[in-house]
Amino acid sequence: MGRTTSVAGILLVGGLSSRMGRDKAMLPLMGVDERSGSTFVVSQATLLRERCSEVVLVARDEEYAERYRHLDLPTCVRVVVDVEKDRGPLMGLYSGLRAINASHALVSAVDMPFVQLAVLDFLLAQPLDDAIILPFVAGAPQVLLAVYPRILLPIIEASLRAGRRGPRSLLEQARVRYVEEERLRAIDPKLRSFVNINTPDELRREGLER
């Protein structure tokens, strides 16, 4: 499967990483197949670029954005900044959707270093309409590895005005097409694509730091 011209990639890079104690985006990858030796952010951006017509990295502010702009990122990868900082991942999603030209976006968080290309292909193979394409894993919606239509921007804007910070707030207002865990396990048996790394202990447990 080649690049999908109707789908952009949005990588939510964030910035503070307070539980990790350092910028998660800049963490090195070790032992992750051919991506070993890269960083979380470059690896994820490269993966999204494999399938998306454009990729947008969303940083919390200009200080962090400048840090990422100096990395060796693939072509057609842009770095943008949250419209308003410190408003949570929903603001990151909103800022990314505003910045893209495509009708849909494949959204991923930078702290998910084991995302597999086969899982992205599976999500992108679903019908693209006005519904969120949302994996449902371990009894929870995986809102930070999903496909969002750009048409949701007014709904997201209203949620932000209401003080909401997380993408889960959209699930009560938008159409959602859930992708069940059993279907995802057929592609990614251990569901590694949905592992988040938030703390130094998790980093060591996953063998990403010696």
Side-chain angles (χ1 to χ4, degrees):
M1 180 177 176
R3 287 177 183 149
T4 307
T5 56
S6 61
V7 179
I10 295 176
L11 183 57
L12 301 179
V13 186
L16 283 178
S17 305
S18 54
R19 284 190 288 169
M20 183 62 71
R22 51 183 162 147
D23 187 356
K24 288 186 288 187
M26 305 298 282
L27 291 171
L29 280 174
M30 294 185 294
V32 188
D33 303 323
E34 68 279 0
R35 289 181 269 169
S36 185
S38 184
T39 58
F40 279 29
V41 63
V42 172
S43 171
Q44 285 272 55
T46 301
L47 195 70
L48 288 172
R49 185 64 185 129
E50 286 285 323
R51 291 297 183 260
C52 299
S53 56
E54 55 179 322
V55 176
V56 171
L57 273 60
V58 186
R60 71 183 303 269
D61 58 28
E62 273 297 333
E63 179 185 349
Y64 280 91
E66 278 304 304
R67 195 180 296 181
Y68 307 136
R69 290 186 184 116
H70 287 90
L71 297 174
D72 185 20
L73 296 169
T75 57
C76 297
V77 174
R78 292 180 291 133
V79 183
V80 302
V81 176
D82 277 343
V83 175
E84 296 179 34
K85 73 175 184 178
D86 298 328
R87 295 285 303 277
L90 186 61
M91 176 58 74
L93 174 61
Y94 176 72
S95 303
L97 287 174
R98 275 183 35 142
I100 65 172
N101 298 304
S103 62
H104 292 73
L106 177 59
V107 175
S108 181
V110 80
D111 60 5
M112 301 171 74
F114 306 118
V115 173
Q116 297 183 14
L117 198 56
V119 170
L120 301 188
D121 285 343
F122 184 79
L123 295 178
L124 293 174
Q126 309 308 306
L128 298 177
D129 50 27
D130 64 346
I132 301 169
I133 300 170
L134 188 63
F136 199 85
V137 172
Q142 303 297 308
V143 293
L144 297 183
L145 184 56
V147 179
Y148 291 85
R150 196 171 185 272
I151 199 172
L152 289 180
L153 276 171
I155 294 175
I156 299 174
E157 191 169 340
S159 291
L160 288 167
R161 284 199 304 267
R164 298 187 174 103
R165 296 176 59 87
R168 287 194 188 193
S169 64
L170 304 177
L171 306 186
E172 301 170 357
Q173 308 168 68
R175 284 187 61 227
V176 181
R177 184 178 300 111
Y178 288 102
V179 181
E180 298 301 329
E181 182 175 312
E182 308 84 69
R183 299 175 68 193
L184 294 162
R185 279 192 183 277
I187 306 159
D188 183 358
K190 295 183 178 180
L191 300 173
R192 297 287 286 161
S193 296
F194 301 93
V195 172
N196 293 86
I197 305 292
N198 292 303
T199 67
D201 284 344
E202 291 171 352
L203 195 67
R204 286 188 288 270
R205 187 165 61 245
E206 295 295 341
L208 295 176
E209 184 167 69
R210 299 188 181 98

